[in-house]
Amino acid sequence: MSLPKNMHLQFLLFSAAVAGLIGLFCVLLPDIVHEKIWNIYFFMVIVSFLISLLNGFLLKSFAENFFNIMVLAMILRFIATIVFIGLAVWPGMENIILFIADFFVVFLFYLVFDIYTFLSNLRPISK
């Protein structure tokens, strides 16, 4: 079975799989899941989707700057992540270490997906 070619459909399937994993961990191992895990999940979904839309627009307009656009996307995601963590932790949150660990795991899933799409976009360019 191969993945669909539509990038938005791949993103939707990936996000559903991550939500399923989060739900599974919430049921099976509730001690390692922070109470704000769904806030983390929806933040990453929204940020990743908006950055992919921005990438698509910029790559259509400036295809010769592929590497610069991908680096910009990674920097924007990193800055948004730092701002989100700062705003979430600033008012005084319980289990900050668990929040950061859960955020890192979800962030890592979306980073791997971003790297996968980056590499799949490089294949057509290298031909």
Side-chain angles (χ1 to χ4, degrees):
M1 183 175 146
S2 65
L3 288 173
K5 299 294 182 202
N6 185 345
M7 189 55 146
H8 297 300
L9 186 57
Q10 285 180 357
F11 181 76
L12 179 68
L13 291 173
F14 176 76
S15 295
V18 171
L21 280 173
I22 290 171
L24 187 67
F25 278 114
C26 284
V27 171
L28 296 177
L29 300 167
D31 294 337
I32 65 167
V33 178
H34 195 270
E35 60 202 21
K36 297 200 180 250
I37 189 70
W38 294 110
N39 294 353
I40 295 168
Y41 169 74
F42 287 120
F43 169 77
M44 287 307 300
V45 168
I46 291 168
V47 166
S48 295
F49 184 72
L50 291 176
I51 287 177
S52 72
L53 287 178
L54 178 67
N55 273 355
F57 172 73
L58 289 176
L59 286 173
K60 285 180 185 173
S61 301
F62 309 103
E64 66 277 358
N65 295 331
F66 178 78
F67 180 75
N68 295 339
I69 292 169
M70 296 310 279
V71 169
L72 172 69
M74 289 180 198
I75 290 171
L76 288 176
R77 180 177 286 120
F78 182 72
I79 290 172
T81 298
I82 297 299
V83 169
F84 178 79
I85 290 174
L87 291 176
V89 172
W90 184 269
M93 173 187 292
E94 303 250 341
N95 296 327
I96 293 174
I97 301 297
L98 183 61
F99 177 81
I100 300 290
D102 287 349
F103 191 93
F104 178 73
V105 169
V106 175
F107 181 82
L108 191 62
F109 273 114
Y110 280 94
L111 185 64
V112 167
F113 181 76
D114 192 37
I115 291 170
Y116 167 76
T117 57
F118 178 73
L119 292 176
S120 67
N121 285 334
L122 281 179
R123 288 187 196 123
I125 292 173
S126 66
K127 291 181 180 179

